[in-house]
Amino acid sequence: MIGCKCTCERDMHLFCPGPKRLLALDGGGVRGAISVAFLEEIEAVLSKHVQKPVHLSNWFDLIGGTSTGAIIAGALAMGFATADIKRFYFELAPKVFKRPFWRIVGLQAKFDARALRKEINDIVGQITLGSEQLNTGFCLVSKRMDTGSPWILSNNSRARYWETTTGEHSFTGNKHYPLANLVRASTAAPFYFEPEELPIVEGEKPGYFVDGGVTPHNNPSLMLFLMTILDAYKIGWTAKPEQLTIVSIGTGSHRDRVIPEELGMGRATRLAISALKSLMNDVQTFVRSFRGEAARR
């Protein structure tokens, strides 16, 4: 590409000049199949337009997701076709969302994380976040519960925490984290799956990560947009209509009505879960409203 000195495909997508395309994928559990259906149609339309097969990792310069969206985003960034991802979902859901016989409700997660980990490993293998097998920009959202902080992890090689450091303030560089562990961290929905532990600083306790859906970024489109334009991230895209296209795909929504007198046993717990779900819905509505207003401008 003219005017670009990047040597790998990932960095050409992220840092070379020219119009950019961003794809954001919401969380939503098995409803991720809805996202896959939309992506399948997008892939078909693009392939017809250019009159040859299109992989979305070649079309989009940054693909990011939360929770189930992180699984899809990772597979797309690796160059998988949507037909492959559709097959993953049909095979993954029955294996992962199968409630084990020996689980104690309230003391153990509803589903066995080992099944989810195995399925993710089968898809992404042993590659790390820094691997050039990720053909384009990639990002996922998780929540580090022991510090209460959202983690926005990407394969941006200019990012502050990309390289491992040594000395008094040492930490493991993001580029070295196995992609499978990061995706598992983004999908570790509280109550449904056990948290994922990731080493942060050698000799200290690991970080304790849960589903990115419990951050404000279950719909990650606003966060991905900010990451591409804010100086701190050193990506430097231009936020103009002719220079940036954002495609955001959700998983559908359903707002339950809570009737307290019908909650029965465990009323307080059920109310707490409903409040959390409502908060997540409110944040997603805000993101959609903000994005719509920005598009009109």
Side-chain angles (χ1 to χ4, degrees):
M1 186 177 293
I2 297 174
C4 184
K5 298 180 181 179
C6 298
T7 57
C8 74
E9 195 170 357
R10 173 202 67 205
D11 287 353
M12 284 191 283
H13 277 290
L14 286 175
F15 306 125
C16 285
K20 297 295 182 182
R21 304 184 184 108
L22 188 160
L23 175 62
L25 304 168
D26 289 13
V30 293
R31 298 202 315 266
I34 298 172
S35 300
V36 174
F38 278 104
L39 291 168
E40 196 171 27
E41 183 64 18
I42 290 172
E43 188 181 77
V45 169
L46 292 174
S47 297
K48 183 178 180 179
H49 176 70
V50 301
Q51 297 183 335
K52 64 179 181 179
V54 169
H55 281 188
L56 297 183
S57 62
N58 296 327
W59 189 263
F60 288 97
D61 301 290
L62 175 62
I63 303 175
T66 301
S67 192
T68 194
I71 298 176
I72 301 170
L76 288 176
M78 290 176 64
F80 283 103
T82 55
D84 296 320
I85 301 172
K86 182 178 181 179
R87 176 172 52 81
F88 296 155
Y89 263 84
F90 277 107
E91 295 175 354
L92 180 148
K95 297 175 183 176
V96 170
F97 296 101
K98 180 179 180 181
R99 191 168 181 174
F101 182 77
W102 293 108
R103 308 299 278 185
I104 303 174
V105 178
L107 296 179
Q108 292 176 292
K110 186 174 183 179
F111 303 111
D112 190 344
R114 290 176 296 182
L116 178 58
R117 187 178 291 110
K118 180 183 182 302
E119 295 304 314
I120 293 174
N121 284 338
D122 288 346
I123 297 171
V124 306
Q126 301 300 312
I127 71 171
T128 63
L129 188 60
S131 172
E132 292 186 11
Q133 287 181 254
L134 290 168
N135 303 327
T136 189
F138 168 72
C139 179
L140 60 76
V141 181
S142 187
K143 172 83 169 183
R144 185 177 173 186
M145 283 303 297
D146 55 310
T147 61
S149 54
W151 273 42
I152 318 299
L153 291 150
S154 74
N155 61 350
N156 171 13
S157 59
R158 297 178 181 176
R160 180 178 180 183
Y161 300 107
W162 184 246
E163 300 285 352
T164 296
T165 64
T166 57
E168 184 180 355
H169 301 290
S170 65
F171 56 83
T172 301
N174 289 347
K175 65 184 290 185
H176 299 294
Y177 284 117
L179 182 61
N181 293 86
L182 296 180
V183 172
R184 231 293 288 170
S186 184
T187 58
F191 176 72
Y192 293 100
F193 294 105
E194 293 293 334
E196 183 78 359
E197 295 184 353
L198 294 174
I200 309 298
V201 177
E202 187 175 352
E204 295 187 8
K205 291 183 179 179
Y208 207 57
F209 290 84
V210 298
D211 195 301
V214 297
T215 73
H217 313 301
N218 191 56
N219 177 338
S221 57
L222 178 58
M223 186 63 237
L224 294 178
F225 168 66
L226 293 175
M227 189 176 74
T228 63
I229 66 168
L230 294 179
D231 292 342
Y233 294 96
K234 302 179 181 179
I235 295 178
W237 290 3
T238 302
K240 293 183 179 180
E242 66 276 10
Q243 291 292 317
L244 179 57
T245 300
I246 300 176
V247 178
S248 177
I249 299 179
T251 58
S253 63
H254 176 71
R255 187 179 291 274
D256 293 317
R257 181 181 179 185
V258 177
I259 303 175
E261 58 268 23
E262 295 181 2
L263 292 175
M265 294 291 291
R267 173 176 171 171
T269 300
R270 292 173 185 269
L271 280 172
I273 293 173
S274 296
L276 178 59
K277 289 180 177 179
S278 178
L279 174 61
M280 292 166 63
N281 286 332
D282 291 343
V283 172
Q284 291 200 136
T285 300
F286 168 76
V287 171
R288 285 195 297 270
S289 301
F290 179 88
R291 192 179 62 235
E293 181 63 26
R296 284 192 291 273
R297 292 177 184 273

